[in-house]
Amino acid sequence: MSSAMSRAIRACAASGASRRGLASVEAMGAAAKGPPAAGRWAGRGPGGRGKVEDGARVQWVFLGCPGVGKGTYAGRLSRLLGVPHIATGDLVRHELASSGPLSKQLSEIVNHGKLVSDEIIINLLSKRLEEGEGKGELGFILDGFPRTIRQAEILEGVTDIDLVINLKLREEALLAKCVGRRKCSQCGGNFNVASIDIEGENGGPRMYMPPLLPPPQCESKLITRADDTEEVVKERLRVYHDLCEPVEDFYRARGKLLEFNLPGGIPESWPKLLQALNIEDPDNNRSATA
Ligand SMILES: Nc1ncnc2c1ncn2[C@@H]1O[C@H](COP(=O)(O)OP(=O)(O)O)[C@@H](O)[C@H]1O
């Protein structure tokens, strides 16, 4: 066991599952580093655009406030690059829905807008990474992890994250976007009923984000997340500013943070995000509007 791994094990209250899972990250990190250039995302260098076929080895992290669109853009990049999108919020919700031993404890925390303990999150993530390793996954796009400095230190202790994308959106839009979120309980599609139209700041352009409405067959099957009420979203935003913003500083200090201000809805933002990442979308016109 490497000393980095031992440190990580000491840092988290390691169960057997987290040891193996974090070991999976360490193994991925090693695989991603060789052969040279193939495993690292070259897209940001002056040499031009990244090749989508290299994307399956990226080790990226998405940061950003609740409602900013981490899931949407991480999901799109995951499909484009062929790399798994691992959202710790989804892992938590999956555990909640399973009515397993953790379920009651988790619902108390999540439905009040608080963060789950680092130990529980590390265990859930480790289990997911371990399953991925079994399937031959090489890289990942993490969404919603790390959310505390301790989580960031543990991750940094086991692998060298290539890039951290920090999505930013005007604060006024965040609450409306969270409260407007809907999911189809049958097909799993994500929609948003909020129509956001905000005056430009300091003479800047107006921000318009049209609703993303469900097709007729999903309309009667829409569900809202229990933690997407106005009161809980405000608490989640407060928690983000207190505990998660220092994670931005953590990666900024390491030169890994790419700040991206979302200019509006998906059609405007997606092509600009790809541009910022130096990725050529082979299907740009079609995917920008889907
Ligand atoms: N890395 C994490 N650390 C602690 N708690 C987490 C983490 N990821 C997810 N959670 C829990 O799951 C909830 C939902 O997460 P997520 O879907 O990422 O929400 P958000 O829309 O607020 O970004 C969080 O409010 C928190 O309770």
Side-chain angles (χ1 to χ4, degrees), residues 64-71 87-93 96 106 109-118 120-122 125 143-148 151 178 181 225 227-228 232-233 236-237 239-240 244:
C65 284
V68 75
K70 296 185 295 293
T88 44
D90 287 345
L91 301 180
V92 168
R93 281 182 287 279
L96 269 174
L106 285 179
I109 302 168
V110 175
N111 294 342
H112 286 94
K114 308 288 184 204
L115 289 189
V116 171
S117 73
D118 292 337
I120 292 179
I121 281 293
I122 294 279
L125 179 62
D143 156 6
F145 184 95
R147 246 176 164 104
T148 63
Q151 291 176 12
C178 279
R181 274 202 290 225
R225 267 168 56 172
D227 60 345
D228 272 344
V232 179
V233 173
R236 282 160 54 205
L237 286 168
V239 167
Y240 188 88
C244 312

XYZ file of all heavy atoms in Angstrom, residues 64-71 87-93 96 106 109-118 120-122 125 143-148 151 178 181 225 227-228 232-233 236-237 239-240 244, ligand 1:
404
model
N -19.977 23.536 -7.970
C -20.960 24.583 -8.243
C -22.147 24.459 -7.312
O -22.447 23.381 -6.804
N -22.802 25.599 -7.122
C -23.946 25.659 -6.189
C -25.074 24.724 -6.622
O -25.195 24.407 -7.806
C -24.518 27.076 -6.206
S -23.530 28.246 -5.313
N -25.949 24.379 -5.683
C -27.156 23.632 -6.044
C -27.914 24.374 -7.140
O -28.034 25.601 -7.078
C -27.981 23.621 -4.750
C -27.020 23.885 -3.650
C -25.877 24.659 -4.238
N -28.362 23.652 -8.139
C -29.181 24.258 -9.191
C -28.385 24.855 -10.331
O -28.944 25.293 -11.329
N -27.060 24.843 -10.240
C -26.263 25.502 -11.271
C -26.264 24.711 -12.585
O -26.067 25.279 -13.657
C -24.820 25.757 -10.756
C -23.986 24.498 -10.731
C -24.134 26.839 -11.555
N -26.483 23.399 -12.478
C -26.501 22.575 -13.689
C -25.344 21.591 -13.760
O -25.000 21.112 -14.848
N -24.757 21.254 -12.622
C -23.630 20.301 -12.614
C -24.044 18.982 -13.281
O -23.326 18.446 -14.112
C -23.171 19.983 -11.174
C -22.614 21.137 -10.397
C -22.088 20.690 -9.044
C -23.122 20.155 -8.086
N -24.102 21.136 -7.591
N -25.218 18.487 -12.883
C -25.684 17.192 -13.409
C -25.879 17.246 -14.913
O -25.487 16.327 -15.635
N -22.314 10.983 -9.737
C -22.886 12.070 -8.930
C -23.154 11.534 -7.528
O -23.958 10.608 -7.369
C -24.171 12.570 -9.568
N -22.485 12.106 -6.537
C -22.678 11.573 -5.184
C -24.115 11.816 -4.700
O -24.643 11.022 -3.923
C -21.646 12.145 -4.186
O -21.519 13.540 -4.392
C -20.300 11.476 -4.328
N -24.764 12.891 -5.189
C -26.173 13.115 -4.847
C -27.033 11.935 -5.321
O -27.941 11.490 -4.616
N -26.731 11.409 -6.516
C -27.483 10.248 -7.024
C -27.211 9.017 -6.156
O -28.115 8.220 -5.898
C -27.073 9.918 -8.476
C -27.615 10.940 -9.470
O -28.517 11.717 -9.095
O -27.118 10.966 -10.617
N -25.961 8.865 -5.721
C -25.632 7.705 -4.873
C -26.418 7.796 -3.561
O -26.935 6.792 -3.067
C -24.127 7.648 -4.573
C -23.176 7.550 -5.781
C -21.722 7.492 -5.308
C -23.493 6.337 -6.647
N -26.500 9.016 -3.029
C -27.238 9.222 -1.777
C -28.727 8.921 -2.005
O -29.353 8.208 -1.217
C -27.043 10.672 -1.270
C -28.010 11.009 -0.156
C -25.607 10.883 -0.801
N -29.276 9.449 -3.097
C -30.709 9.218 -3.357
C -30.994 7.742 -3.616
O -32.027 7.212 -3.217
C -31.190 10.068 -4.546
C -31.449 11.521 -4.147
C -31.973 12.349 -5.309
N -30.958 12.638 -6.290
C -30.058 13.608 -6.183
N -30.079 14.400 -5.142
N -29.154 13.815 -7.117
N -31.117 6.198 -0.303
C -32.362 6.610 0.367
C -33.543 5.759 -0.103
O -34.374 5.339 0.692
C -32.684 8.068 -0.001
C -32.149 9.156 0.889
C -32.441 10.517 0.273
C -32.832 9.081 2.247
N -30.118 9.049 6.488
C -29.813 9.932 5.355
C -30.955 10.895 5.073
O -30.728 12.070 4.798
C -29.529 9.110 4.103
C -28.174 8.414 4.043
C -28.038 7.623 2.754
C -27.050 9.434 4.140
N -30.926 13.991 7.139
C -29.863 14.943 6.780
C -30.197 15.648 5.462
O -30.229 16.879 5.380
C -28.509 14.197 6.642
C -28.161 13.484 7.957
C -27.401 15.142 6.220
C -27.014 12.489 7.847
N -30.458 14.838 4.438
C -30.636 15.384 3.087
C -31.868 16.295 3.024
O -31.813 17.388 2.450
C -30.754 14.227 2.062
C -31.053 14.755 0.669
C -29.488 13.397 2.061
N -32.963 15.864 3.646
C -34.194 16.654 3.550
C -34.146 17.933 4.383
O -35.066 18.740 4.322
C -35.424 15.804 3.905
C -35.624 14.708 2.877
O -35.079 14.793 1.767
N -36.362 13.679 3.229
N -33.074 18.112 5.137
C -32.890 19.390 5.827
C -31.777 20.218 5.175
O -31.353 21.235 5.718
C -32.565 19.157 7.316
C -33.770 18.721 8.092
N -34.066 17.405 8.317
C -34.781 19.434 8.632
C -35.218 17.328 8.992
N -35.664 18.547 9.195
N -31.281 19.756 4.055
C -30.291 20.524 3.301
C -28.884 20.459 3.866
O -28.024 21.272 3.497
N -28.633 19.492 4.765
C -27.292 19.376 5.361
C -26.436 18.420 4.540
O -26.947 17.662 3.710
C -27.394 18.822 6.791
C -28.368 19.562 7.684
C -27.840 20.921 8.070
C -28.787 21.618 9.034
N -28.647 23.073 8.995
N -25.153 18.403 4.852
C -24.256 17.458 4.176
C -24.202 16.152 4.948
O -24.183 16.133 6.181
C -22.833 18.009 4.097
C -22.558 19.168 3.148
C -21.056 19.418 3.051
C -23.135 18.916 1.761
N -24.155 15.076 4.193
C -23.944 13.742 4.754
C -22.490 13.681 5.251
O -21.626 14.391 4.708
C -24.205 12.717 3.626
C -23.824 11.320 4.018
C -25.663 12.786 3.173
N -22.219 12.850 6.238
C -20.852 12.815 6.785
C -19.848 12.355 5.717
O -20.188 11.590 4.800
C -20.775 11.868 7.991
O -20.835 10.533 7.541
N -18.625 12.829 5.864
C -17.564 12.435 4.924
C -17.438 10.910 4.863
O -17.234 10.338 3.801
C -16.224 13.050 5.367
C -16.205 14.569 5.213
O -16.984 15.095 4.394
O -15.418 15.225 5.917
N -19.705 8.528 5.350
C -20.773 7.864 4.575
C -20.553 8.109 3.083
O -20.645 7.194 2.259
C -22.175 8.372 5.019
C -22.461 7.892 6.444
C -23.256 7.897 4.053
C -23.814 8.366 7.002
N -20.225 9.353 2.729
C -20.032 9.682 1.309
C -18.856 8.905 0.733
O -18.927 8.353 -0.367
C -19.834 11.214 1.147
C -21.186 11.906 1.203
C -19.098 11.583 -0.114
C -22.117 11.618 0.033
N -17.763 8.835 1.490
C -16.584 8.099 1.007
C -16.950 6.623 0.792
O -16.546 6.013 -0.197
C -15.414 8.218 2.021
C -14.924 9.664 2.120
C -14.278 7.256 1.704
C -13.979 10.125 1.051
N -19.159 6.379 -2.385
C -18.354 6.633 -3.587
C -17.388 5.473 -3.840
O -17.216 5.035 -4.977
C -17.585 7.949 -3.426
C -16.675 8.340 -4.578
C -17.458 8.541 -5.874
C -15.906 9.626 -4.265
N -19.389 14.577 -9.792
C -20.343 15.692 -9.677
C -20.859 15.694 -8.234
O -21.443 14.716 -7.778
C -21.430 15.423 -10.731
C -22.776 16.059 -10.460
O -22.910 16.829 -9.508
O -23.704 15.752 -11.242
N -20.549 16.770 -7.517
C -21.000 16.853 -6.120
C -19.994 16.295 -5.126
O -20.289 16.201 -3.947
N -18.839 15.940 -5.580
C -17.746 15.458 -4.726
C -16.434 15.958 -5.323
O -16.252 15.838 -6.524
C -17.732 13.927 -4.674
C -16.686 13.386 -3.722
C -17.011 13.058 -2.419
C -15.372 13.232 -4.150
C -16.042 12.576 -1.544
C -14.398 12.759 -3.281
C -14.740 12.433 -1.978
N -15.536 16.500 -4.521
C -15.590 16.721 -3.083
C -16.389 17.982 -2.727
O -16.482 18.920 -3.514
C -14.131 16.909 -2.703
C -13.471 17.435 -3.935
C -14.225 16.872 -5.096
N -16.961 17.964 -1.537
C -17.783 19.081 -1.078
C -17.250 19.673 0.220
O -17.805 20.639 0.720
C -19.184 18.566 -0.825
C -20.244 19.118 -1.756
C -21.525 18.397 -1.376
N -22.695 19.000 -1.873
C -23.379 18.533 -2.914
N -22.920 17.531 -3.622
N -24.513 19.089 -3.251
N -16.238 19.065 0.766
C -15.577 19.619 1.950
C -14.067 19.526 1.702
O -13.616 18.726 0.867
C -15.899 18.813 3.233
O -15.386 17.475 3.067
C -17.379 18.744 3.524
N -12.833 16.020 2.170
C -13.066 15.149 1.009
C -12.052 15.456 -0.098
O -11.522 14.547 -0.750
C -14.492 15.339 0.472
C -15.580 14.827 1.402
C -16.991 15.106 0.884
O -17.198 15.486 -0.278
N -17.979 14.924 1.746
N -33.719 25.328 -8.868
C -33.900 24.155 -7.985
C -35.383 23.874 -7.762
O -35.834 22.733 -7.886
C -33.257 24.396 -6.627
S -31.500 24.121 -6.621
N -37.190 22.205 -10.666
C -36.740 20.905 -11.180
C -37.826 19.837 -11.088
O -38.499 19.730 -10.070
C -35.536 20.410 -10.362
C -34.234 20.930 -10.848
C -33.088 20.072 -10.415
N -32.814 20.145 -9.001
C -31.572 20.275 -8.504
N -30.544 20.349 -9.308
N -31.378 20.307 -7.217
N -37.893 16.534 -6.171
C -37.031 16.078 -5.078
C -37.499 16.675 -3.755
O -37.829 17.855 -3.694
C -35.590 16.538 -5.347
C -34.748 15.523 -6.074
C -33.455 16.088 -6.564
N -32.628 16.710 -5.525
C -31.389 17.130 -5.726
N -30.838 17.008 -6.918
N -30.695 17.677 -4.760
N -35.848 17.604 -1.352
C -34.994 18.688 -0.859
C -35.005 19.896 -1.810
O -34.178 20.790 -1.677
C -33.559 18.196 -0.607
C -32.886 17.639 -1.849
O -33.581 17.367 -2.844
O -31.653 17.471 -1.837
N -35.931 19.920 -2.754
C -36.011 21.066 -3.665
C -37.105 22.055 -3.257
O -37.643 22.782 -4.101
C -36.220 20.600 -5.122
C -34.885 20.334 -5.826
O -33.845 20.778 -5.322
O -34.903 19.686 -6.887
N -35.458 24.445 1.992
C -34.292 23.544 2.000
C -33.235 24.010 0.997
O -32.032 23.938 1.274
C -34.724 22.065 1.744
C -33.518 21.145 1.727
C -35.715 21.600 2.807
N -33.666 24.541 -0.143
C -32.682 25.021 -1.124
C -31.881 26.184 -0.527
O -30.656 26.254 -0.690
C -33.360 25.453 -2.451
C -32.343 26.103 -3.383
C -34.008 24.268 -3.132
N -29.337 24.699 1.584
C -28.269 24.067 0.774
C -27.327 25.124 0.211
O -26.112 24.906 0.133
C -28.886 23.229 -0.349
C -29.390 21.890 0.178
C -30.412 21.248 -0.746
N -29.986 21.094 -2.098
C -30.828 21.027 -3.143
N -32.128 21.110 -2.959
N -30.358 20.876 -4.357
N -27.882 26.272 -0.181
C -27.030 27.352 -0.708
C -26.121 27.890 0.402
O -24.936 28.151 0.185
C -27.885 28.480 -1.287
C -28.540 28.165 -2.635
C -29.607 29.208 -2.991
C -27.490 28.110 -3.752
N -25.098 26.212 3.049
C -24.092 25.178 3.308
C -23.013 25.221 2.223
O -21.819 25.098 2.502
C -24.755 23.764 3.382
C -23.736 22.658 3.323
C -25.601 23.647 4.646
N -23.443 25.440 0.973
C -22.454 25.500 -0.113
C -21.458 26.630 0.148
O -20.244 26.441 0.063
C -23.129 25.688 -1.490
C -22.103 25.549 -2.599
C -21.803 24.306 -3.138
C -21.366 26.649 -3.045
C -20.808 24.160 -4.106
C -20.367 26.503 -4.005
C -20.103 25.263 -4.536
O -19.098 25.103 -5.474
N -18.469 24.401 0.972
C -18.010 23.947 -0.347
C -17.161 25.002 -1.054
O -16.268 24.642 -1.826
C -19.186 23.533 -1.221
S -20.338 22.428 -0.374
N -19.912 15.013 -1.368
C -20.955 15.084 -0.519
N -20.749 15.278 0.812
C -21.775 15.345 1.676
N -23.069 15.237 1.320
C -23.343 15.041 -0.005
C -22.305 14.953 -0.978
N -22.860 14.747 -2.188
C -24.188 14.720 -1.987
N -24.484 14.896 -0.674
C -25.838 14.924 -0.062
O -26.807 14.707 -1.069
C -27.637 15.868 -1.246
C -27.979 16.031 -2.696
O -26.791 16.207 -3.440
P -26.808 16.832 -4.910
O -27.801 16.121 -5.743
O -25.400 16.869 -5.383
O -27.392 18.275 -4.608
P -27.214 19.739 -5.151
O -28.335 19.905 -6.120
O -27.441 20.503 -3.871
O -25.866 19.990 -5.747
C -26.827 17.004 -0.636
O -27.640 18.086 -0.191
C -26.151 16.295 0.540
O -27.054 16.088 1.610
